[in-house]
Every structure is written in C-alpha cells, then in structure tokens.
C-alpha cells in the first residue's frame, strides 16, 4: 500500500464520536487498509462503525458500553489506526 498517496483528515469529535475520512488511491488500497484495521480492532475487542465506497473509508469510534461516547478505548484505537496510516504520534 502506498501511503504517500493517502489523503486523510485529522480525527475530529462529532456527535460524541471520533470521526475520520480517508481517501486512498483505489478500492484495493481502501479494502486492504480495512482488513488491517479489522485485525487491530479484533485484538482490542473494540470495533468501529465504518463505511467504504470505492476509495473512501469513513470511520466513527465510540464506546457503546459507556453510553455511546468517546472513551480511552476509542482514543487508543484511533492512535493504532493512525499508525497503520504512517501518522506519527
């Protein structure tokens, strides 16, 4: 995956959720990224709400058990997703 071609917005808090939209070169790069995130999410037992349309992936993070708000679990997963994108801490 060629991350230098990825355009991303910083995480923003919107409606009590962390949100990020990521545009990839094509569908294959977007889907490959989603598979990588799926392994990280499963390891953390914390799963995102997300959508994919061709080269665009949108992610919303919140903790359902805490009343569907942003918690430390969401911030941790957001950092791990950023690492997959090559974004330094």
């Amino acid at each position: 995956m060629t991350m230098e071609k990825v355009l991303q917005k910083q995480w923003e808090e919107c409606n009590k959720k962390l949100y990020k939209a990521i545009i990839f070169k094509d569908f294959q790069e977007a889907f490959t990224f989603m598979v990588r995130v799926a392994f990280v999410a499963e390891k953390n037992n914390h799963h995102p709400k997300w959508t994919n349309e061709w080269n665009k992936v949108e992610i919303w993070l919140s903790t359902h058990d805490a009343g569907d708000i942003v918690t430390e679990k969401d911030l941790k997963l957001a950092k791990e997703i950023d690492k997959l994108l090559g974004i330094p801490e």
Side-chain angles (χ1 to χ4, degrees):
M1 190 176 321
T2 54
M3 285 300 165
E4 65 274 1
K5 303 251 184 200
V6 176
L7 303 174
Q8 68 261 334
K9 294 168 56 177
Q10 295 300 315
W11 289 99
E12 56 188 57
E13 193 163 336
C14 159
N15 295 323
K16 299 182 184 178
K17 294 174 180 20
L18 287 181
Y19 170 78
K20 181 177 270 202
I22 309 151
I23 306 295
F24 293 89
K25 184 179 83 173
D26 56 27
F27 177 76
Q28 184 174 346
E29 282 193 5
F31 196 81
T32 299
F33 169 75
M34 291 179 75
V35 169
R36 294 176 70 204
V37 171
F39 282 104
V40 171
E42 190 64 21
K43 180 184 84 179
N44 287 288
N45 193 29
H46 193 56
H47 305 92
K49 173 183 175 184
W50 56 8
T51 62
N52 167 239
E53 185 176 350
W54 188 58
N55 68 337
K56 182 179 183 180
V57 175
E58 291 181 276
I59 304 171
W60 294 265
L61 301 176
S62 64
T63 303
H64 304 294
D65 297 348
D68 212 22
I69 61 170
V70 175
T71 67
E72 198 57 42
K73 288 174 85 170
D74 305 297
L75 297 171
K76 180 181 179 203
L77 184 55
K79 283 181 185 178
E80 292 195 40
I81 290 169
D82 282 350
K83 282 182 192 175
L84 293 175
L85 291 167
I87 299 171
E89 286 188 44

